[in-house]
Every structure is written in C-alpha cells, then in structure tokens.
Amino acid sequence: MRMHHPPHPGEIIREFCVEALHLTTTDAAEALGVTRKTLSELLNGRSGVSPAMALRLSRVFGRTPEGWLRLQQQYDLWNIEQSVDMSRLRRIKAA
Amino acid sequence: MRMHHPPHPGEIIREFCVEALHLTTTDAAEALGVTRKTLSELLNGRSGVSPAMALRLSRVFGRTPEGWLRLQQQYDLWNIEQSVDMSRLRRIKAA
DNA sequence: AATACTGTAACCTGCTACGTTTCGAGTGTC
DNA sequence: GACACTCGAAACGTAGCAGGTTACAGTATT
C-alpha cells in the first residue's frame, strides 16, 4: 500500500526551507529567482514542483532535484489514485 | 554527474511494452484505455509520462507507477539543465 | 501613520495531455 | 489493377497548469 494522504510539497518546503531558515516568502522567492506570487502559490499548494523548480530548490536549499521532484510525484500519484478509476485495466498478455 | 542524454521514456515503453510483447500501437492503446493518438505521441517523444499514464502503465505492464514516472523525471531534469541557466542561483544562508 | 510582509485575484503567455477526425502509407484479397 | 482494411501519425480543438505582471486588502511592526 501507499502512503496515507501525503502532504503537498509546499508544506515541506515551507517548513524546511522558509521557516527553518527564518526567511520571508519574499526573500526565498528572490533567492530562487522567481516571483513572490510563484513561490506563494507553491507554498500554499496551488501549484506543484515543476522540474525547473526542483532544480532551483536544489541549488538554493540543497538536496537533489530528484528528491524534490519525488515529493511532487508521490503527491500526484496519491491524488490520481483517488480520483481516476483504473479498475477496468487488466494486465496484458503477449499476443 | 548525471546521466548522459537520457532517452525519452517513449523509447523504453516501445521497446519493453509494445515490441517485446508483439503488440501494435492500437492494441496497447486499447489496453491502456487511451486513444491511439495519445499512445503514439508518447511512443514518439511528443508527450511525456503523466502521473495518470504512469498508473495505467503499471496496471497493464507491471512495475511501479513511481518507476515509470522516474523515467520521465530523469528525462525532464536533463533537458531543463541543458536549457535553463541556474548559475546565478546561490545557496542561501539563514538570516 | 508609515513601512514591511503576505496572500490572492485578474489577466496574459506558453506549454502539454488528451480526444476526434482525417490523411497517407502499407498490406492483403479479389 | 482495384478494393477494403489496418496501422501510424498529423492537424485541429479543448482543458488545464506554471509562471509573470500588476494591483489590492489584511496584518504586523515600528
């Protein structure tokens, strides 16, 4: 089974990147090279971690880009599993 | 360092899911519950592995959804690294 | 009161996943 | 040759998302 209701990546980013370093949203956005709005939407779950954003995060706050993207991936998968019915799909056999 | 020019996931999918099972694109698309066009674009690198597609692939061809998504992730990251200049971004210090 | 920080709405651009439709290139059968 | 059929792929439209600019309202802090 999969994780139960993974948080959106913005929560983790806020906790470990912004609050832990006592940064403001404005400061962090500037360091990342994006606008305040872009970071605000990410922190509040209204947008996700794009590949470009994962690279920015890794350069400014460390960790690997893959690690940042994985947060988004797990969040996306959990949500898709809840909302899309794939039960009719069957494993295929070679012809 | 990162991988050198990762192939787009469509190549892997074509090789291990379609050709290896002697399926046609039409057959595979039907099994995945998408149109021929959608799968064709994926196989030819004109679209990527979305979270929903990763789930479809895992149900029909096995492996984990995370594994399928990882292929896309590595491809995306490599391409972003080539095209976007992040050299001005500096690691941030706590205030 | 003035300043700083935040969230967010409106509007725009660019990109992408996906569906429907249609075209063109095989590949058979008569 | 002429026909139908199948397959892959292109053109076109729809929907949605990331991100920017600008502007506004709320809340602290000084």
Side-chain angles (χ1 to χ4, degrees):
Chain A
M1 270 319 275
R2 202 171 311 286
M3 205 175 158
H4 190 53
H5 197 138
H8 68 256
E11 292 184 31
I12 288 103
I13 295 169
R14 186 191 293 276
E15 185 174 344
F16 289 96
C17 298
V18 183
E19 292 179 352
L21 300 181
H22 298 96
L23 297 173
T24 65
T25 303
T26 305
D27 292 337
E30 210 165 300
L32 288 167
V34 298
T35 63
R36 198 163 52 87
K37 174 184 181 296
T38 297
L39 181 57
S40 172
E41 287 180 338
L42 175 59
L43 294 182
N44 293 287
R46 256 166 226 92
S47 71
V49 178
S50 64
M53 183 61 78
L55 274 180
R56 293 177 188 278
L57 288 166
S58 81
R59 282 197 62 94
V60 174
F61 296 109
R63 300 185 54 164
T64 63
E66 288 86 350
W68 292 112
L69 268 186
R70 189 154 41 241
L71 293 177
Q72 186 65 45
Q73 179 184 293
Q74 290 176 351
Y75 181 73
D76 287 342
L77 279 178
W78 191 87
N79 282 289
I80 292 279
E81 280 175 354
Q82 305 306 308
S83 63
V84 182
D85 176 29
M86 304 256 176
S87 63
R88 315 239 344 233
L89 298 187
R90 298 271 171 250
R91 207 182 206 107
I92 204 169
K93 296 285 179 191
Chain B
M1 269 319 274
R2 202 172 312 284
M3 206 176 159
H4 190 54
H5 195 135
H8 66 256
E11 292 184 30
I12 288 104
I13 295 169
R14 185 191 294 276
E15 186 173 343
F16 289 96
C17 300
V18 182
E19 292 180 352
L21 300 181
H22 298 95
L23 297 173
T24 65
T25 302
T26 304
D27 294 336
E30 210 164 300
L32 288 167
V34 298
T35 63
R36 268 188 309 144
K37 175 184 182 289
T38 297
L39 181 58
S40 171
E41 286 181 339
L42 175 59
L43 294 182
N44 293 287
R46 271 180 284 281
S47 71
V49 178
S50 64
M53 183 60 79
L55 274 179
R56 292 177 188 280
L57 288 166
S58 80
R59 281 196 63 94
V60 174
F61 296 108
R63 300 185 56 161
T64 62
E66 289 86 351
W68 291 112
L69 268 186
R70 190 156 40 243
L71 292 178
Q72 186 65 47
Q73 178 185 291
Q74 291 175 352
Y75 181 73
D76 287 342
L77 279 177
W78 191 88
N79 282 288
I80 292 278
E81 280 174 353
Q82 306 305 307
S83 63
V84 181
D85 177 28
M86 304 259 177
S87 63
R88 314 238 346 230
L89 297 187
R90 298 272 170 246
R91 207 177 206 113
I92 204 170
K93 296 287 181 189

